[in-house]
Amino acid sequence: MSEPISIDIWSDIACPWCYIGKRNLEAGLASTASDDDAPQVDITFHSFELSPDTPVDFDGDELDFLAGHKGMPREQVAQMLDNVTNVAKNAGLEYRFDLLKHTNTVKAHELLHHAKAEGLQHEMEERLMSAYFTEGKHVGRIDDLVELAAEVGLDADATRDALENDKHLPAVRQDQAQARAYGIQGVPFFVIDGQYGISGAQPPEAFANVLRDLWSKRGAPAEEQPAG
């Protein structure tokens, strides 16, 4: 049995393209599931903060934040958000920027590492992104994060202790250091088998094609594999 293909994903909870990229990867994987020899994968999420200087309680809406952060006119920001909302809809997501509560995401990243240690990282990633982009929930405060963690099956007291004591902050910083080492400047960024980089929310078929190609090479007899 071949080893699963590793997929390491650098993303931020507050990155709209990261949630779209996650959905597109899932759709790509779903399209390969019926293959006679379907690719097997092992997915790990890694931390990347797009705006680490953002306060936990930002005073304003997403238009205010992006207009100030990027120095763009509000009308241009509104058009940009409309565009990403439409792209998200094509991926099966209903973004609600009118409800979104912009916040600092470092504690959410710490929570993802806590969930990873408990075998629930994928469930926690999905819950956080859904809460942020489609439900207008706050994902920066410890109380709110503990509540979301409990929803996916994590122990509330253990989660609170981990977040209050920065237990997983070193792991967040290690992810960020690895991103710098790879030269990652924007997310989502997918590292396949530790050697192939895919930047951005690529369409499902792009992921499917790469995974099928890698899996077929992995399963080929040694004498059929290209040298070198």
Side-chain angles (χ1 to χ4, degrees), residues 138 140-149 160 163-164:
H138 204 300
R141 297 184 297 235
I142 289 178
D143 285 350
D144 299 272
L145 290 170
V146 168
E147 185 175 312
L148 292 170
R160 182 178 296 279
L163 295 178
E164 288 181 346

Side-chain angles (χ1 to χ4, degrees), residues 61-62 95-101:
D61 61 15
E62 188 69 354
Y95 280 3
R96 292 295 306 271
F97 287 109
D98 57 321
L99 301 177
L100 188 148
K101 294 179 174 62

Side-chain angles (χ1 to χ4, degrees), residues 147-222:
E147 185 175 312
L148 292 170
E151 289 181 19
V152 304
L154 290 168
D155 180 81
D157 291 337
T159 300
R160 182 178 296 279
D161 178 70
L163 295 178
E164 288 181 346
N165 291 291
D166 298 337
K167 179 179 178 181
H168 299 284
L169 184 59
V172 173
R173 299 306 183 215
Q174 176 57 41
D175 276 354
Q176 294 169 328
Q178 184 62 65
R180 288 191 293 273
Y182 277 142
I184 298 171
Q185 297 181 321
V187 288
F189 196 92
F190 304 79
V191 177
I192 314 295
D193 264 355
Q195 52 186 326
Y196 303 101
I198 298 177
S199 179
Q202 299 297 321
E205 55 270 21
F207 290 113
N209 290 340
V210 169
L211 295 173
R212 283 185 173 121
D213 183 54
L214 285 175
W215 192 247
S216 66
K217 290 176 180 175
R218 185 163 299 189

Side-chain angles (χ1 to χ4, degrees), residues 9-55:
I9 307 171
W10 271 262
S11 65
D12 193 357
I13 299 303
C15 163
W17 294 104
C18 291
Y19 200 7
I20 293 167
K22 179 178 181 292
R23 274 294 183 274
N24 287 353
L25 172 61
E26 291 165 352
L29 283 169
S31 73
T32 69
S34 59
D35 291 3
D36 289 338
D37 185 20
Q40 302 300 304
V41 301
D42 183 14
I43 300 172
T44 304
F45 290 95
H46 297 275
S47 303
F48 191 100
E49 289 181 274
L50 286 171
S51 304
D53 55 346
T54 304

Side-chain angles (χ1 to χ4, degrees), residues 43-113:
I43 300 172
T44 304
F45 290 95
H46 297 275
S47 303
F48 191 100
E49 289 181 274
L50 286 171
S51 304
D53 55 346
T54 304
V56 171
D57 291 299
F58 177 75
D59 184 19
D61 61 15
E62 188 69 354
L63 277 170
D64 294 325
F65 175 79
L66 289 174
H69 187 70
K70 294 182 178 294
M72 296 164 55
R74 286 179 66 89
E75 296 78 12
Q76 188 177 347
V77 173
Q79 290 177 355
M80 186 175 69
L81 293 180
D82 285 343
N83 175 59
V84 74
T85 298
N86 288 329
V87 176
K89 188 173 295 184
N90 290 332
L93 299 168
E94 185 182 354
Y95 280 3
R96 292 295 306 271
F97 287 109
D98 57 321
L99 301 177
L100 188 148
K101 294 179 174 62
H102 202 85
T103 186
N104 188 290
T105 60
V106 69
K107 285 297 175 187
H109 285 295
E110 291 178 42
L111 175 55
L112 284 170
H113 279 279

